Amino acid sequence: MSDDEVDHELLDLLRKSLGLGPGDPNAPPETKVLQNAEFIYDNSIDVALDMRHTKLAAIQILAQMQERGYGTRAWSEHQLHPKSKDESTVHFIFTMDLLNFSFWSEKSGEERFAVTYQEKRWTGYWSLVAALQRALDEEIPITTPSFWADEEECTDEVLQKVFRSDTDEEIPMLQERIKCLREAGQIIEEEFDSSVVTLIEDAKQSAAGLVNLLAERFTCFRDEGKFEGKKVRFLKRAQIFVADLWAAFDGEGYGEFNDIDKITMFADYRVPQMLHSLGCMSFSPPLDSRIRRHDPIQSGHSWELQIRGCSIWAVELLRREILKLQPDAKINAILIDFFLYDLAKEREEAGEEAIPHHRTRSIWY
Ligand SMILES: Nc1nc2c(c(CN[C@H]3C=C[C@H](O)[C@@H]3O)cn2[C@@H]2O[C@H](COP(=O)(O)O)[C@@H](O)[C@H]2O)c(=O)[nH]1
């Protein structure tokens, strides 16, 4: 029995001896991601956080976010993100965050997977968004769950066309992406009346509840690992789905949640790189040289879990420092994360990439 199960067992015994019922079913949902991240941070030896740089970075980030008026509206201002505040955007975001993983390539800029759309070549995350927009323009209902489940209509060939590349390199993990679509299409059809809106409504405006629902019902959202013998949850794509909804709808309608601040940073491969560049996070010599050599790190390896867990905790520390500077700042982990991702892309664009991002191939991020 794992520590977690022993804790529950003891807790229930204690409750019974005090004449209390089992866990309060009305207790607000928790994802445990932040708690797990702190556990990883407290037990990491290959990744360290630096408070001096974190305090300095908090000053810089707060100033830049205020200067840019950085808030949820920045989400819709991106050229490729959908703008309409309706169900089609809900389905677009769900499709996008179902597939929002592993775009990195060892090929050079010109040869790596890319999608040309609106006269621009898009790579990385934006290549996915461009591919979805291109498919919709070509009348392929790629954001409709019932389409994904219908293998007559939605053949592998159609999906290959949706994700076709404008270079010789195809999109990484195409087969895994097809599998995610098929699984999700079937579950939404069978359990949520073929509608993502029903899925959102089932969470009753709880961000944590929606994250837990996704992790529970869809294996392709169940992003967790085992660190020092304890189950740890990252739930990156489940969390970024909720965050994208919240941002796209400005916290209203389908994006209205009563506990949105329970969402943490999204443990991907881009923001950890930015946290390192800011001096907030550093790696042990063996891990540092492995990353600089572009050598792969196995999904689930302790090094990978330390990078992901410490990144989540680093953004929590940044959030706390920012609120010390400005207690009424309308800033949460989501906006800090979005800002750091966009900043990382700006620096990459300007050729200022410092340390490479770590190379783990997985469907989780
Ligand atoms: N933590 C975090 N990870 C993010 C994003 C985004 C894009 N979010 C948009 C929505 C609001 C923001 O303003 C962004 O415009 C993608 N990713 C992850 O990065 C990786 C792709 O990297 P590259 O290959 O270089 O594009 C991949 O794991 C992908 O899942 C984010 O925001 N936060």
Side-chain angles (χ1 to χ4, degrees):
M1 196 186 276
S2 76
D3 299 358
D4 244 7
E5 285 150 347
V6 171
D7 294 350
H8 277 298
E9 199 72 26
L10 285 176
L11 217 50
D12 278 351
L13 278 175
L14 185 61
R15 278 200 180 94
K16 283 198 186 89
S17 65
L18 296 173
L20 297 172
D24 173 3
N26 301 321
E30 298 297 339
T31 68
K32 293 207 177 125
V33 173
L34 190 60
Q35 182 184 326
N36 293 165
E38 185 175 22
F39 170 74
I40 293 172
Y41 167 65
D42 288 344
N43 294 278
S44 285
I45 49 172
D46 293 288
V47 180
L49 302 184
D50 178 289
M51 268 327 285
R52 204 164 45 83
H53 280 95
T54 300
K55 288 176 185 295
L56 287 172
I59 296 166
Q60 278 177 343
I61 291 168
L62 176 59
Q64 286 184 37
M65 286 178 84
Q66 283 175 329
E67 196 183 296
R68 300 186 192 192
Y70 202 89
T72 51
R73 288 183 202 294
W75 195 94
S76 312
E77 282 158 14
H78 284 287
Q79 178 183 345
L80 296 186
H81 278 162
K83 315 273 181 269
S84 60
K85 308 292 184 208
D86 60 18
E87 189 164 340
S88 67
T89 292
V90 169
H91 280 109
F92 190 98
I93 291 172
F94 184 80
T95 313
M96 189 180 74
D97 285 327
L98 190 59
L99 304 171
N100 189 356
F101 57 83
S102 217
F103 304 105
W104 59 267
S105 161
E106 291 313 344
K107 297 231 187 270
S108 72
E110 290 313 301
E111 293 154 18
R112 68 178 292 198
F113 169 72
V115 172
T116 301
Y117 183 73
Q118 290 178 345
E119 280 95 53
K120 199 174 160 204
R121 266 165 70 101
W122 305 90
T123 59
Y125 161 80
W126 294 109
S127 65
L128 168 67
V129 190
L132 297 180
Q133 295 286 17
R134 179 179 64 182
L136 292 175
D137 290 356
E138 293 170 351
E139 317 270 304
I140 300 171
I142 190 58
T143 59
T144 306
S146 50
F147 177 67
W148 313 331
D150 177 351
E151 301 213 21
E152 315 273 291
E153 279 290 292
C154 179
T155 62
D156 282 9
E157 290 67 34
V158 165
L159 291 175
Q160 277 154 19
K161 180 181 175 217
V162 168
F163 297 110
R164 68 187 184 278
S165 177
D166 289 329
T167 68
D168 292 340
E169 185 181 50
E170 77 166 17
I171 188 169
M173 303 187 94
L174 175 61
Q175 291 313 315
E176 289 80 358
R177 295 181 202 276
I178 291 176
K179 200 161 158 276
C180 287
L181 286 167
R182 301 268 190 239
E183 177 202 7
Q186 202 183 355
I187 291 168
I188 291 176
E189 201 161 64
E190 288 167 10
E191 301 183 28
F192 299 101
D193 318 322
S194 301
S195 163
V196 177
V197 168
T198 307
L199 167 67
I200 293 170
E201 286 165 351
D202 281 5
K204 301 184 177 50
Q205 295 187 335
S206 166
L210 184 49
V211 167
N212 288 340
L213 189 57
L214 287 167
E216 191 187 300
R217 300 289 183 81
F218 300 80
T219 48
C220 66
F221 277 110
R222 198 170 303 143
D223 171 12
E224 46 194 44
K226 211 157 193 64
F227 182 72
E228 302 288 328
K230 182 178 159 61
K231 185 176 93 168
V232 288
R233 307 177 96 200
F234 300 103
L235 305 179
K236 182 254 174 196
R237 288 194 289 105
Q239 290 204 96
I240 203 168
F241 167 63
V242 174
D244 284 338
L245 276 179
W246 172 70
F249 290 89
D250 280 337
E252 290 163 11
Y254 296 118
E256 185 178 349
F257 296 101
N258 52 39
D259 59 349
I260 192 66
D261 290 347
K262 283 185 183 170
I263 299 295
T264 72
M265 172 263 182
F266 317 111
D268 73 310
Y269 55 83
R270 195 54 77 187
V271 175
Q273 186 188 25
M274 194 67 231
L275 290 167
H276 184 278
S277 304
L278 289 167
C280 300
M281 185 160 78
S282 59
F283 306 125
S284 64
L287 174 54
D288 188 271
S289 62
R290 189 170 191 99
I291 290 172
R292 290 182 194 279
R293 289 199 312 265
H294 294 204
D295 284 355
I297 299 175
Q298 209 56 39
S299 177
H301 186 284
S302 171
W303 277 349
E304 187 220 15
L305 303 182
Q306 290 180 56
I307 292 171
R308 301 187 78 195
C310 290
S311 296
I312 292 171
W313 193 246
V315 170
E316 171 61 12
L317 294 178
L318 274 171
R319 187 189 68 82
R320 293 178 184 183
E321 288 307 314
I322 287 172
L323 291 183
K324 279 184 202 166
L325 294 167
Q326 176 137 359
D328 64 347
K330 292 268 167 289
I331 288 179
N332 56 19
I334 297 173
L335 292 176
I336 296 170
D337 174 288
F338 281 172
F339 178 78
L340 291 177
Y341 173 84
D342 289 342
L343 195 59
K345 297 307 285 178
E346 283 168 22
R347 293 210 178 167
E348 186 193 39
E349 199 99 356
E352 289 166 23
E353 195 166 298
I355 188 171
H357 63 74
H358 71 280
R359 261 69 175 175
T360 296
R361 196 58 87 187
S362 89
I363 68 161
W364 306 121
Y365 59 97

